[in-house]
């Protein structure tokens, strides 16, 4: 199945809190397949359902050869002192800014069979878990930027060819 187009900054779906997954039906299974296809592209660490235009609490991840997904994910634990890490987003192409993230994270959710799943990790995986849960809560990484960095990002977005 081909990857779905990524929604870009300005699309209202990106600022909308995602609806929880209820019944796991063929629609949900198709969304997960699309998420996994979309995250398999090299250079992608995660894709939230909202980024492919679906208002559903689900995301996929692809970090260090570990590919997976979570339905109804919740960050249940963060570890270590938050630190500034460079972050970008498929929905805000070509812009990278320092964002304060915890160096370790654990998220819990369910799989397509309704079984509990826990994903935890450090570094990029921790960052991806936090970033994708933010998406599902209707938040972009831009919302976490310090005032001057956010002002610069907004200026660069307005000047970009994709906006």
């Amino acid at each position: 199945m081909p990857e779905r187009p990524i929604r870009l900054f300005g699309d209202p779906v990106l600022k909308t809190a995602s609806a929880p997954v209820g019944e796991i039906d063929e629609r949900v299974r198709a969304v997960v397949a699309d998420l996994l296809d979309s995250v398999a592209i090299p250079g992608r660490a995660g894709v939230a359902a909202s980024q492919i235009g679906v208002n559903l609490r689900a995301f996929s991840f692809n970090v260090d050869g570990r590919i997976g997904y979570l339905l109804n994910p919740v960050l249940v634990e963060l570890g270590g002192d938050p630190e500034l890490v460079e972050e970008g987003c498929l929905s805000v192409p070509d812009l990278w800014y320092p964002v304060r993230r915890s160096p370790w994270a654990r998220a819990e959710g369910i799989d397509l069979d309704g079984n509990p799943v826990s994903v935890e990790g450090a570094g990029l995986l921790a960052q991806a878990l936090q970033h994708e849960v933010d998406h599902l809560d209707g938040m972009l990484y831009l919302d976490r930027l310090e005032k001057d960095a956010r002002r610069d990002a907004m200026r660069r977005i307005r000047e970009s060819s994709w906006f």
Side-chain angles (χ1 to χ4, degrees), residues 23-161:
E23 178 185 351
I24 298 172
D25 56 14
E26 288 312 307
R27 176 180 172 261
V28 172
R29 291 179 189 287
V31 169
V32 169
D34 288 350
L35 286 169
L36 291 171
D37 287 344
S38 295
V39 83
I41 295 169
R44 293 185 174 182
V47 177
S50 55
Q51 290 182 281
I52 59 171
V54 179
N55 183 7
L56 195 64
R57 196 159 181 87
F59 72 78
S60 58
F61 60 90
N62 181 358
V63 178
D64 297 329
R66 183 176 176 190
I67 298 173
Y69 68 92
L70 278 176
L71 304 177
N72 293 334
V74 177
L75 284 173
V76 294
E77 189 176 359
L78 299 173
D81 292 329
E83 51 195 38
L84 286 175
V85 291
E86 285 295 308
E87 191 160 308
C89 180
L90 297 171
S91 295
V92 189
D94 304 321
L95 295 183
W96 291 80
Y97 286 93
V99 177
R100 197 164 299 282
R101 297 284 189 192
S102 293
W104 183 88
R106 181 165 53 97
E108 293 179 350
I110 59 173
D111 65 15
L112 286 171
D113 295 319
N115 298 316
V117 176
S118 180
V119 177
E120 63 182 66
L124 182 58
L125 182 56
Q127 185 178 358
L129 294 173
Q130 293 168 80
H131 182 102
E132 300 311 324
V133 168
D134 275 355
H135 271 301
L136 301 179
D137 292 338
M139 179 182 286
L140 292 170
Y141 87 105
L142 300 172
D143 299 319
R144 294 191 176 276
L145 297 181
E146 309 240 344
K147 185 179 176 182
D148 289 342
R150 182 167 168 77
R151 185 180 304 118
D152 182 67
M154 298 310 292
R155 178 189 55 77
R156 290 180 59 198
I157 288 168
R158 285 189 301 274
E159 294 171 352
S160 71
S161 62

